[in-house]
Amino acid sequence: MQEKVSIVKIGGNLIENEAVLDEFIEGFSKLEGLKILVHGGGKLATQLAEKLGIETKMVDGRRITDAETLKIITKVYGGYANKTIVAKLQARNCNAIGLSGADLNLIRSVKRPVKTHDFGFVGDVEAVNAAALKLLLDHQITPVCCAITHDKEGQLFNTNADTIASEIAKAISKDFETHLYYCFEKNGVLRDINDDTSVIEEIDTNSYQKLLEEKIIADGMLPKLFNCFNALEHEVAKVYIGSIKMITDPQTKKTTITL
């Protein structure tokens, strides 16, 4: 029987709010068994860019990462956000290590091809070093992975944290029973975006198509759900979308994604 690993992804909105982050860290540190945390930090990066007078350019909700923006993202994701999370986990006796994709050659990417837009230094994941993650997990060390990868030729890339979480889950699924959690501000995928109680408790491939046709699922939720289904198709055992409360309370309302 495979040992369970929980892979939890949190977004920049949760990291920005210290009270919410502390609540999450408290719950995550008490999560039984082996675990991996993946985080972004986009809002913090945007705030720092504004202070430095560097314009944040977005296309279809996605950040254009030029050379100056990459420096800011590296400082925020790999520095302040990552080490703050690690320090808070250590304070709760959860032995964590902060990593970018470059550390331990953890996540190798290629620059996103130019189609309609050049997103700059944005990477699409090519490979995950599952052996390195297994080594850390076997020693009861919790990896805290930020949304930065590399090409093994010296170039860093800004990379989607949802995708990183999915790719990590897929990579270690041969060695562990992997459960993937996407935590954000809502209680799950909502039937009515203005009603936090309208959680769709289960979405499979058939109901997903209907929700797309009804335009209930759109915009930023589309890539998140793509990553969910992609994970399940590659032997990831369970995938959930919901608030931070689902980490500690199995009875909390959330969306379960199934094939």
Side-chain angles (χ1 to χ4, degrees), residues 65-74 100-103 105-112 119-124 126 147-159:
T65 306
D66 59 19
E68 289 304 309
T69 301
L70 182 65
K71 289 177 186 176
I72 288 170
I73 284 169
T74 304
S100 73
D103 299 300
N105 188 29
L106 195 66
I107 306 168
R108 193 177 76 246
S109 293
V110 293
K111 185 180 182 298
R112 180 167 295 166
F119 285 95
F121 295 104
V122 170
D124 292 327
E126 260 198 338
I148 295 171
T149 61
H150 76 135
D151 65 359
K152 214 169 185 301
E153 294 180 6
Q155 181 61 57
L156 296 174
F157 290 118
N158 180 16
T159 303

Side-chain angles (χ1 to χ4, degrees), residues 17-238:
N17 186 320
E18 189 166 2
V20 173
L21 179 60
D22 282 340
E23 182 186 351
F24 167 77
I25 293 293
E26 187 69 29
F28 180 82
S29 64
K30 291 176 180 175
L31 195 59
E32 288 186 9
L34 303 174
K35 43 194 176 272
I36 297 171
L37 179 57
V38 179
H39 69 86
K43 285 195 80 172
L44 290 172
T46 299
Q47 288 167 6
L48 180 56
E50 286 175 358
K51 286 179 182 176
L52 295 174
I54 296 169
E55 183 185 359
T56 299
K57 299 173 186 174
M58 308 286 283
V59 174
D60 299 329
R62 295 181 178 181
R63 187 187 301 269
I64 303 290
T65 306
D66 59 19
E68 289 304 309
T69 301
L70 182 65
K71 289 177 186 176
I72 288 170
I73 284 169
T74 304
K75 288 172 185 174
V76 173
Y77 294 8
Y80 177 76
N82 189 263
K83 301 313 172 190
T84 297
I85 291 168
V86 169
K88 287 177 180 291
L89 286 170
Q90 297 291 3
R92 292 162 175 84
N93 298 313
C94 177
N95 193 14
I97 184 169
L99 299 166
S100 73
D103 299 300
L104 300 174
N105 188 29
L106 195 66
I107 306 168
R108 193 177 76 246
S109 293
V110 293
K111 185 180 182 298
R112 180 167 295 166
V114 177
K115 293 179 182 175
T116 54
H117 299 284
D118 183 353
F119 285 95
F121 295 104
V122 170
D124 292 327
V125 176
E126 260 198 338
V128 174
N129 188 346
L133 288 168
K134 186 175 187 302
L135 183 66
L136 294 170
L137 293 168
D138 285 347
H139 284 82
Q140 307 296 310
I141 296 170
T142 296
V144 178
C145 306
C146 71
I148 295 171
T149 61
H150 76 135
D151 65 359
K152 214 169 185 301
E153 294 180 6
Q155 181 61 57
L156 296 174
F157 290 118
N158 180 16
T159 303
N160 182 275
D162 286 351
T163 302
I164 287 175
S166 175
E167 293 295 331
I168 286 174
K170 287 160 54 178
I172 66 171
S173 63
K174 293 179 178 62
D175 297 308
F176 300 97
E177 179 188 325
T178 51
H179 291 213
L180 177 57
Y181 300 83
Y182 284 112
C183 293
F184 71 145
E185 307 93 294
K186 303 295 183 181
N187 295 322
V189 181
L190 303 179
R191 188 166 289 281
D192 178 357
I193 194 66
N194 298 311
D195 181 1
D196 283 343
T197 66
S198 65
V199 176
I200 304 169
E201 294 194 33
E202 185 171 329
I203 298 174
D204 61 19
T205 46
N206 290 329
S207 61
Y208 177 55
Q209 289 305 317
K210 291 177 184 174
L211 291 166
L212 284 176
E213 290 165 12
E214 294 168 9
K215 295 192 173 8
I216 290 169
I217 292 175
D219 303 327
M221 192 54 70
L222 291 171
K224 194 179 292 291
L225 281 164
F226 170 82
N227 283 309
C228 291
F229 285 115
N230 187 29
L232 290 168
E233 287 163 3
H234 290 83
E235 300 180 23
V236 173
K238 303 280 186 183

